[in-house]
mmCIF file of all heavy atoms in Angstrom:
data_model
loop_
_atom_site.group_PDB
_atom_site.id
_atom_site.type_symbol
_atom_site.label_atom_id
_atom_site.label_comp_id
_atom_site.label_asym_id
_atom_site.label_seq_id
_atom_site.Cartn_x
_atom_site.Cartn_y
_atom_site.Cartn_z
ATOM 1 N N ARG Y 1 33.822 101.597 75.086
ATOM 2 C CA ARG Y 1 33.716 102.918 74.467
ATOM 3 C C ARG Y 1 32.253 103.210 74.152
ATOM 4 O O ARG Y 1 31.569 102.412 73.492
ATOM 5 C CB ARG Y 1 34.556 103.003 73.195
ATOM 6 C CG ARG Y 1 34.357 104.316 72.426
ATOM 7 C CD ARG Y 1 35.466 104.576 71.435
ATOM 8 N NE ARG Y 1 36.731 104.828 72.129
ATOM 9 C CZ ARG Y 1 37.884 105.049 71.489
ATOM 10 N NH1 ARG Y 1 37.928 105.031 70.172
ATOM 11 N NH2 ARG Y 1 38.992 105.278 72.179
ATOM 12 N N ILE Y 2 31.791 104.373 74.625
ATOM 13 C CA ILE Y 2 30.450 104.866 74.301
ATOM 14 C C ILE Y 2 30.621 106.013 73.312
ATOM 15 O O ILE Y 2 31.405 106.944 73.555
ATOM 16 C CB ILE Y 2 29.706 105.386 75.552
ATOM 17 C CG1 ILE Y 2 29.644 104.326 76.637
ATOM 18 C CG2 ILE Y 2 28.302 105.847 75.185
ATOM 19 C CD1 ILE Y 2 29.060 104.845 77.954
ATOM 20 N N THR Y 3 29.911 105.970 72.214
ATOM 21 C CA THR Y 3 29.915 107.066 71.253
ATOM 22 C C THR Y 3 28.536 107.729 71.218
ATOM 23 O O THR Y 3 27.543 107.156 71.679
ATOM 24 C CB THR Y 3 30.283 106.569 69.845
ATOM 25 O OG1 THR Y 3 29.334 105.571 69.426
ATOM 26 C CG2 THR Y 3 31.669 105.943 69.822
ATOM 27 N N GLU Y 4 28.494 108.931 70.693
ATOM 28 C CA GLU Y 4 27.224 109.665 70.519
ATOM 29 C C GLU Y 4 26.487 109.866 71.843
ATOM 30 O O GLU Y 4 25.251 109.757 71.910
ATOM 31 C CB GLU Y 4 26.315 108.960 69.505
ATOM 32 C CG GLU Y 4 26.802 109.023 68.085
ATOM 33 C CD GLU Y 4 26.712 110.436 67.491
ATOM 34 O OE1 GLU Y 4 25.692 111.111 67.703
ATOM 35 O OE2 GLU Y 4 27.679 110.837 66.820
ATOM 36 N N LEU Y 5 27.239 110.183 72.879
ATOM 37 C CA LEU Y 5 26.608 110.510 74.164
ATOM 38 C C LEU Y 5 26.370 112.014 74.192
ATOM 39 O O LEU Y 5 27.316 112.799 74.259
ATOM 40 C CB LEU Y 5 27.516 110.079 75.313
ATOM 41 C CG LEU Y 5 26.947 110.205 76.730
ATOM 42 C CD1 LEU Y 5 25.715 109.311 76.902
ATOM 43 C CD2 LEU Y 5 27.997 109.845 77.765
ATOM 44 N N ARG Y 6 25.110 112.405 74.143
ATOM 45 C CA ARG Y 6 24.756 113.819 73.971
ATOM 46 C C ARG Y 6 24.309 114.458 75.278
ATOM 47 O O ARG Y 6 23.490 113.885 76.001
ATOM 48 C CB ARG Y 6 23.642 113.952 72.921
ATOM 49 C CG ARG Y 6 24.098 113.575 71.519
ATOM 50 C CD ARG Y 6 22.952 113.497 70.518
ATOM 51 N NE ARG Y 6 23.480 113.307 69.185
ATOM 52 C CZ ARG Y 6 23.564 114.250 68.243
ATOM 53 N NH1 ARG Y 6 23.130 115.479 68.515
ATOM 54 N NH2 ARG Y 6 24.078 113.989 67.062
ATOM 55 N N LEU Y 7 24.869 115.659 75.524
ATOM 56 C CA LEU Y 7 24.481 116.434 76.694
ATOM 57 C C LEU Y 7 24.265 117.882 76.279
ATOM 58 O O LEU Y 7 24.904 118.362 75.319
ATOM 59 C CB LEU Y 7 25.566 116.367 77.776
ATOM 60 C CG LEU Y 7 25.758 115.023 78.491
ATOM 61 C CD1 LEU Y 7 26.931 115.108 79.448
ATOM 62 C CD2 LEU Y 7 24.492 114.618 79.230
ATOM 63 N N PRO Y 8 23.386 118.612 76.968
ATOM 64 C CA PRO Y 8 23.151 120.018 76.613
ATOM 65 C C PRO Y 8 24.431 120.837 76.698
ATOM 66 O O PRO Y 8 25.358 120.508 77.455
ATOM 67 C CB PRO Y 8 22.121 120.480 77.647
ATOM 68 C CG PRO Y 8 21.496 119.223 78.163
ATOM 69 C CD PRO Y 8 22.548 118.170 78.090
ATOM 70 N N LEU Y 9 24.484 121.920 75.955
ATOM 71 C CA LEU Y 9 25.672 122.760 75.906
ATOM 72 C C LEU Y 9 26.086 123.226 77.299
ATOM 73 O O LEU Y 9 27.278 123.248 77.630
ATOM 74 C CB LEU Y 9 25.400 123.966 75.001
ATOM 75 C CG LEU Y 9 26.576 124.892 74.721
ATOM 76 C CD1 LEU Y 9 27.654 124.180 73.933
ATOM 77 C CD2 LEU Y 9 26.099 126.132 73.954
ATOM 78 N N ASN Y 10 25.119 123.583 78.115
ATOM 79 C CA ASN Y 10 25.424 124.133 79.437
ATOM 80 C C ASN Y 10 25.258 123.099 80.545
ATOM 81 O O ASN Y 10 24.865 123.434 81.673
ATOM 82 C CB ASN Y 10 24.531 125.350 79.710
ATOM 83 C CG ASN Y 10 24.876 126.523 78.799
ATOM 84 O OD1 ASN Y 10 26.034 126.934 78.720
ATOM 85 N ND2 ASN Y 10 23.887 127.046 78.106
ATOM 86 N N HIS Y 11 25.581 121.865 80.249
ATOM 87 C CA HIS Y 11 25.413 120.836 81.277
ATOM 88 C C HIS Y 11 26.395 121.066 82.426
ATOM 89 O O HIS Y 11 27.465 121.662 82.263
ATOM 90 C CB HIS Y 11 25.587 119.438 80.674
ATOM 91 C CG HIS Y 11 27.000 119.106 80.251
ATOM 92 N ND1 HIS Y 11 27.992 118.769 81.135
ATOM 93 C CD2 HIS Y 11 27.568 119.042 79.015
ATOM 94 C CE1 HIS Y 11 29.105 118.508 80.494
ATOM 95 N NE2 HIS Y 11 28.886 118.683 79.198
ATOM 96 N N ALA Y 12 26.027 120.576 83.592
ATOM 97 C CA ALA Y 12 26.875 120.700 84.767
ATOM 98 C C ALA Y 12 28.140 119.871 84.610
ATOM 99 O O ALA Y 12 28.163 118.874 83.877
ATOM 100 C CB ALA Y 12 26.108 120.251 86.011
ATOM 101 N N GLU Y 13 29.206 120.274 85.282
ATOM 102 C CA GLU Y 13 30.477 119.574 85.173
ATOM 103 C C GLU Y 13 30.364 118.111 85.575
ATOM 104 O O GLU Y 13 31.045 117.248 85.022
ATOM 105 C CB GLU Y 13 31.532 120.262 86.049
ATOM 106 C CG GLU Y 13 32.120 121.514 85.426
ATOM 107 C CD GLU Y 13 33.312 122.019 86.222
ATOM 108 O OE1 GLU Y 13 34.112 121.176 86.692
ATOM 109 O OE2 GLU Y 13 33.436 123.237 86.379
ATOM 110 N N ASP Y 14 29.490 117.821 86.547
ATOM 111 C CA ASP Y 14 29.379 116.450 87.038
ATOM 112 C C ASP Y 14 28.259 115.675 86.352
ATOM 113 O O ASP Y 14 27.848 114.607 86.829
ATOM 114 C CB ASP Y 14 29.152 116.451 88.554
ATOM 115 C CG ASP Y 14 27.901 117.233 88.962
ATOM 116 O OD1 ASP Y 14 27.233 117.799 88.066
ATOM 117 O OD2 ASP Y 14 27.594 117.278 90.170
ATOM 118 N N ALA Y 15 27.757 116.161 85.211
ATOM 119 C CA ALA Y 15 26.623 115.504 84.547
ATOM 120 C C ALA Y 15 27.045 114.298 83.714
ATOM 121 O O ALA Y 15 26.208 113.456 83.350
ATOM 122 C CB ALA Y 15 25.886 116.504 83.651
ATOM 123 N N LEU Y 16 28.329 114.187 83.391
ATOM 124 C CA LEU Y 16 28.761 113.131 82.481
ATOM 125 C C LEU Y 16 28.688 111.749 83.133
ATOM 126 O O LEU Y 16 28.232 110.776 82.500
ATOM 127 C CB LEU Y 16 30.186 113.425 81.988
ATOM 128 C CG LEU Y 16 30.669 112.674 80.742
ATOM 129 C CD1 LEU Y 16 29.674 112.794 79.596
ATOM 130 C CD2 LEU Y 16 32.028 113.206 80.305
ATOM 131 N N ARG Y 17 29.098 111.663 84.375
ATOM 132 C CA ARG Y 17 29.089 110.348 85.039
ATOM 133 C C ARG Y 17 27.680 109.740 85.113
ATOM 134 O O ARG Y 17 27.497 108.588 84.704
ATOM 135 C CB ARG Y 17 29.716 110.451 86.427
ATOM 136 C CG ARG Y 17 29.817 109.105 87.136
ATOM 137 C CD ARG Y 17 30.435 109.206 88.523
ATOM 138 N NE ARG Y 17 30.513 107.893 89.120
ATOM 139 C CZ ARG Y 17 31.568 107.086 89.043
ATOM 140 N NH1 ARG Y 17 32.646 107.485 88.390
ATOM 141 N NH2 ARG Y 17 31.549 105.885 89.609
ATOM 142 N N PRO Y 18 26.671 110.473 85.608
ATOM 143 C CA PRO Y 18 25.329 109.875 85.617
ATOM 144 C C PRO Y 18 24.809 109.564 84.217
ATOM 145 O O PRO Y 18 24.044 108.601 84.042
ATOM 146 C CB PRO Y 18 24.463 110.917 86.327
ATOM 147 C CG PRO Y 18 25.261 112.168 86.349
ATOM 148 C CD PRO Y 18 26.679 111.775 86.327
ATOM 149 N N ALA Y 19 25.226 110.342 83.216
ATOM 150 C CA ALA Y 19 24.799 110.054 81.843
ATOM 151 C C ALA Y 19 25.395 108.735 81.363
ATOM 152 O O ALA Y 19 24.727 107.953 80.659
ATOM 153 C CB ALA Y 19 25.212 111.197 80.923
ATOM 154 N N ILE Y 20 26.646 108.459 81.737
ATOM 155 C CA ILE Y 20 27.289 107.194 81.370
ATOM 156 C C ILE Y 20 26.588 106.022 82.066
ATOM 157 O O ILE Y 20 26.277 104.996 81.442
ATOM 158 C CB ILE Y 20 28.784 107.222 81.740
ATOM 159 C CG1 ILE Y 20 29.521 108.261 80.900
ATOM 160 C CG2 ILE Y 20 29.413 105.846 81.568
ATOM 161 C CD1 ILE Y 20 30.938 108.549 81.382
ATOM 162 N N VAL Y 21 26.324 106.181 83.357
ATOM 163 C CA VAL Y 21 25.663 105.130 84.126
ATOM 164 C C VAL Y 21 24.300 104.805 83.525
ATOM 165 O O VAL Y 21 23.932 103.625 83.353
ATOM 166 C CB VAL Y 21 25.536 105.563 85.604
ATOM 167 C CG1 VAL Y 21 24.604 104.623 86.368
ATOM 168 C CG2 VAL Y 21 26.908 105.627 86.262
ATOM 169 N N LYS Y 22 23.553 105.854 83.171
ATOM 170 C CA LYS Y 22 22.228 105.647 82.578
ATOM 171 C C LYS Y 22 22.336 104.972 81.223
ATOM 172 O O LYS Y 22 21.557 104.067 80.897
ATOM 173 C CB LYS Y 22 21.511 106.997 82.458
ATOM 174 C CG LYS Y 22 20.118 106.892 81.862
ATOM 175 C CD LYS Y 22 19.458 108.265 81.787
ATOM 176 C CE LYS Y 22 18.066 108.173 81.167
ATOM 177 N NZ LYS Y 22 17.420 109.511 81.076
ATOM 178 N N ARG Y 23 23.314 105.413 80.430
ATOM 179 C CA ARG Y 23 23.462 104.871 79.071
ATOM 180 C C ARG Y 23 23.804 103.388 79.100
ATOM 181 O O ARG Y 23 23.320 102.606 78.279
ATOM 182 C CB ARG Y 23 24.570 105.645 78.347
ATOM 183 C CG ARG Y 23 24.752 105.267 76.894
ATOM 184 C CD ARG Y 23 23.559 105.761 76.065
ATOM 185 N NE ARG Y 23 23.637 105.306 74.695
ATOM 186 C CZ ARG Y 23 23.365 104.061 74.306
ATOM 187 N NH1 ARG Y 23 23.002 103.145 75.183
ATOM 188 N NH2 ARG Y 23 23.446 103.733 73.027
ATOM 189 N N LEU Y 24 24.628 102.979 80.068
ATOM 190 C CA LEU Y 24 25.026 101.579 80.163
ATOM 191 C C LEU Y 24 24.039 100.732 80.968
ATOM 192 O O LEU Y 24 24.130 99.499 80.945
ATOM 193 C CB LEU Y 24 26.416 101.473 80.792
ATOM 194 C CG LEU Y 24 27.584 102.062 79.988
ATOM 195 C CD1 LEU Y 24 28.880 101.943 80.776
ATOM 196 C CD2 LEU Y 24 27.718 101.382 78.628
ATOM 197 N N GLY Y 25 23.143 101.405 81.681
ATOM 198 C CA GLY Y 25 22.172 100.669 82.489
ATOM 199 C C GLY Y 25 22.824 99.950 83.650
ATOM 200 O O GLY Y 25 22.494 98.793 83.955
ATOM 201 N N ILE Y 26 23.783 100.620 84.310
ATOM 202 C CA ILE Y 26 24.504 100.016 85.423
ATOM 203 C C ILE Y 26 24.334 100.872 86.679
ATOM 204 O O ILE Y 26 23.832 101.999 86.615
ATOM 205 C CB ILE Y 26 26.013 99.864 85.109
ATOM 206 C CG1 ILE Y 26 26.646 101.242 84.836
ATOM 207 C CG2 ILE Y 26 26.222 98.928 83.919
ATOM 208 C CD1 ILE Y 26 28.143 101.211 84.611
ATOM 209 N N ARG Y 27 24.782 100.322 87.825
ATOM 210 C CA ARG Y 27 24.800 101.102 89.049
ATOM 211 C C ARG Y 27 26.038 101.996 89.067
ATOM 212 O O ARG Y 27 27.055 101.675 88.465
ATOM 213 C CB ARG Y 27 24.795 100.175 90.271
ATOM 214 C CG ARG Y 27 23.503 99.391 90.461
ATOM 215 C CD ARG Y 27 23.612 98.407 91.620
ATOM 216 N NE ARG Y 27 24.467 97.268 91.288
ATOM 217 C CZ ARG Y 27 25.699 97.101 91.728
ATOM 218 N NH1 ARG Y 27 26.243 97.993 92.562
ATOM 219 N NH2 ARG Y 27 26.411 96.036 91.386
ATOM 220 N N ASP Y 28 25.959 103.101 89.769
ATOM 221 C CA ASP Y 28 27.081 104.030 89.814
ATOM 222 C C ASP Y 28 28.355 103.347 90.319
ATOM 223 O O ASP Y 28 29.456 103.622 89.830
ATOM 224 C CB ASP Y 28 26.741 105.224 90.714
ATOM 225 C CG ASP Y 28 27.854 106.257 90.739
ATOM 226 O OD1 ASP Y 28 27.920 107.082 89.809
ATOM 227 O OD2 ASP Y 28 28.675 106.219 91.686
ATOM 228 N N ALA Y 29 28.199 102.427 91.273
ATOM 229 C CA ALA Y 29 29.365 101.757 91.841
ATOM 230 C C ALA Y 29 30.085 100.882 90.814
ATOM 231 O O ALA Y 29 31.265 100.545 90.987
ATOM 232 C CB ALA Y 29 28.946 100.918 93.043
ATOM 233 N N GLN Y 30 29.380 100.497 89.761
ATOM 234 C CA GLN Y 30 30.003 99.647 88.739
ATOM 235 C C GLN Y 30 30.931 100.438 87.813
ATOM 236 O O GLN Y 30 31.750 99.836 87.118
ATOM 237 C CB GLN Y 30 28.924 98.958 87.895
ATOM 238 C CG GLN Y 30 28.178 97.856 88.619
ATOM 239 C CD GLN Y 30 27.147 97.215 87.708
ATOM 240 O OE1 GLN Y 30 25.970 97.579 87.731
ATOM 241 N NE2 GLN Y 30 27.594 96.271 86.888
ATOM 242 N N LEU Y 31 30.801 101.752 87.774
ATOM 243 C CA LEU Y 31 31.655 102.588 86.924
ATOM 244 C C LEU Y 31 32.901 102.969 87.713
ATOM 245 O O LEU Y 31 32.871 103.855 88.569
ATOM 246 C CB LEU Y 31 30.896 103.839 86.468
ATOM 247 C CG LEU Y 31 31.681 104.836 85.590
ATOM 248 C CD1 LEU Y 31 32.196 104.178 84.321
ATOM 249 C CD2 LEU Y 31 30.807 106.043 85.248
ATOM 250 N N ARG Y 32 33.999 102.261 87.440
ATOM 251 C CA ARG Y 32 35.219 102.504 88.205
ATOM 252 C C ARG Y 32 35.874 103.830 87.815
ATOM 253 O O ARG Y 32 36.324 104.593 88.664
ATOM 254 C CB ARG Y 32 36.185 101.332 88.022
ATOM 255 C CG ARG Y 32 35.736 100.064 88.744
ATOM 256 C CD ARG Y 32 36.855 99.044 88.815
ATOM 257 N NE ARG Y 32 37.040 98.370 87.538
ATOM 258 C CZ ARG Y 32 36.825 97.084 87.327
ATOM 259 N NH1 ARG Y 32 36.408 96.315 88.331
ATOM 260 N NH2 ARG Y 32 37.027 96.534 86.152
ATOM 261 N N ARG Y 33 35.968 104.092 86.521
ATOM 262 C CA ARG Y 33 36.548 105.354 86.040
ATOM 263 C C ARG Y 33 36.171 105.527 84.579
ATOM 264 O O ARG Y 33 35.746 104.582 83.907
ATOM 265 C CB ARG Y 33 38.071 105.355 86.185
ATOM 266 C CG ARG Y 33 38.792 104.289 85.402
ATOM 267 C CD ARG Y 33 40.278 104.237 85.734
ATOM 268 N NE ARG Y 33 40.941 103.152 85.015
ATOM 269 C CZ ARG Y 33 41.498 103.274 83.810
ATOM 270 N NH1 ARG Y 33 41.463 104.440 83.177
ATOM 271 N NH2 ARG Y 33 42.084 102.240 83.225
ATOM 272 N N PHE Y 34 36.343 106.755 84.082
ATOM 273 C CA PHE Y 34 36.097 107.010 82.661
ATOM 274 C C PHE Y 34 37.006 108.150 82.207
ATOM 275 O O PHE Y 34 37.458 108.977 83.010
ATOM 276 C CB PHE Y 34 34.629 107.349 82.392
ATOM 277 C CG PHE Y 34 34.169 108.661 82.966
ATOM 278 C CD1 PHE Y 34 34.255 109.840 82.213
ATOM 279 C CD2 PHE Y 34 33.645 108.736 84.250
ATOM 280 C CE1 PHE Y 34 33.841 111.045 82.739
ATOM 281 C CE2 PHE Y 34 33.225 109.943 84.778
ATOM 282 C CZ PHE Y 34 33.314 111.107 84.023
ATOM 283 N N THR Y 35 37.285 108.161 80.926
ATOM 284 C CA THR Y 35 38.047 109.250 80.308
ATOM 285 C C THR Y 35 37.318 109.701 79.053
ATOM 286 O O THR Y 35 36.703 108.892 78.350
ATOM 287 C CB THR Y 35 39.477 108.824 79.930
ATOM 288 O OG1 THR Y 35 39.425 107.695 79.044
ATOM 289 C CG2 THR Y 35 40.287 108.460 81.160
ATOM 290 N N ILE Y 36 37.403 111.000 78.782
ATOM 291 C CA ILE Y 36 36.804 111.536 77.553
ATOM 292 C C ILE Y 36 37.784 111.311 76.406
ATOM 293 O O ILE Y 36 38.921 111.786 76.447
ATOM 294 C CB ILE Y 36 36.495 113.035 77.700
ATOM 295 C CG1 ILE Y 36 35.531 113.274 78.858
ATOM 296 C CG2 ILE Y 36 35.900 113.595 76.402
ATOM 297 C CD1 ILE Y 36 35.340 114.756 79.194
ATOM 298 N N PHE Y 37 37.365 110.583 75.407
ATOM 299 C CA PHE Y 37 38.207 110.364 74.232
ATOM 300 C C PHE Y 37 38.010 111.465 73.190
ATOM 301 O O PHE Y 37 38.950 111.882 72.529
ATOM 302 C CB PHE Y 37 37.901 108.998 73.600
ATOM 303 C CG PHE Y 37 38.797 108.664 72.432
ATOM 304 C CD1 PHE Y 37 40.081 108.190 72.652
ATOM 305 C CD2 PHE Y 37 38.363 108.846 71.125
ATOM 306 C CE1 PHE Y 37 40.924 107.895 71.586
ATOM 307 C CE2 PHE Y 37 39.190 108.555 70.052
ATOM 308 C CZ PHE Y 37 40.483 108.077 70.286
ATOM 309 N N LYS Y 38 36.787 111.965 73.089
ATOM 310 C CA LYS Y 38 36.507 113.013 72.111
ATOM 311 C C LYS Y 38 35.293 113.808 72.556
ATOM 312 O O LYS Y 38 34.349 113.251 73.115
ATOM 313 C CB LYS Y 38 36.255 112.412 70.718
ATOM 314 C CG LYS Y 38 36.000 113.431 69.627
ATOM 315 C CD LYS Y 38 35.765 112.744 68.287
ATOM 316 C CE LYS Y 38 35.477 113.750 67.180
ATOM 317 N NZ LYS Y 38 35.211 113.080 65.888
ATOM 318 N N ARG Y 39 35.343 115.132 72.328
ATOM 319 C CA ARG Y 39 34.183 115.989 72.566
ATOM 320 C C ARG Y 39 34.007 116.908 71.368
ATOM 321 O O ARG Y 39 34.921 117.628 70.977
ATOM 322 C CB ARG Y 39 34.366 116.843 73.828
ATOM 323 C CG ARG Y 39 33.110 117.670 74.180
ATOM 324 C CD ARG Y 39 33.389 118.649 75.302
ATOM 325 N NE ARG Y 39 34.249 119.745 74.844
ATOM 326 C CZ ARG Y 39 35.027 120.462 75.643
ATOM 327 N NH1 ARG Y 39 35.078 120.186 76.936
ATOM 328 N NH2 ARG Y 39 35.776 121.437 75.157
ATOM 329 N N SER Y 40 32.838 116.864 70.768
ATOM 330 C CA SER Y 40 32.504 117.752 69.661
ATOM 331 C C SER Y 40 31.163 118.402 69.958
ATOM 332 O O SER Y 40 30.573 118.173 71.016
ATOM 333 C CB SER Y 40 32.451 116.977 68.338
ATOM 334 O OG SER Y 40 31.490 115.927 68.412
#
């Protein structure tokens, strides 16, 4: 679980995946799937 992942209000629909990869410091292929638990 990643918390406090911040993106601009008008971010692109596909911006979340690269933000997760960057936050975890992993390669894109290592991220099998993700789900949004909360958005505020």
Side-chain angles (χ1 to χ4, degrees):
R1 174 162 293 178
I2 305 173
T3 59
E4 290 290 317
L5 186 62
R6 293 171 173 256
L7 290 176
L9 186 65
N10 292 307
H11 70 77
E13 281 189 40
D14 58 358
L16 197 51
R17 184 180 181 93
I20 294 169
V21 168
K22 180 179 179 181
R23 185 70 186 76
L24 294 177
I26 60 176
R27 292 175 287 104
D28 183 82
Q30 288 181 264
L31 179 58
R32 288 193 283 245
R33 61 187 177 90
F34 68 91
T35 57
I36 301 171
F37 184 80
K38 182 180 179 182
R39 185 188 71 205
S40 58

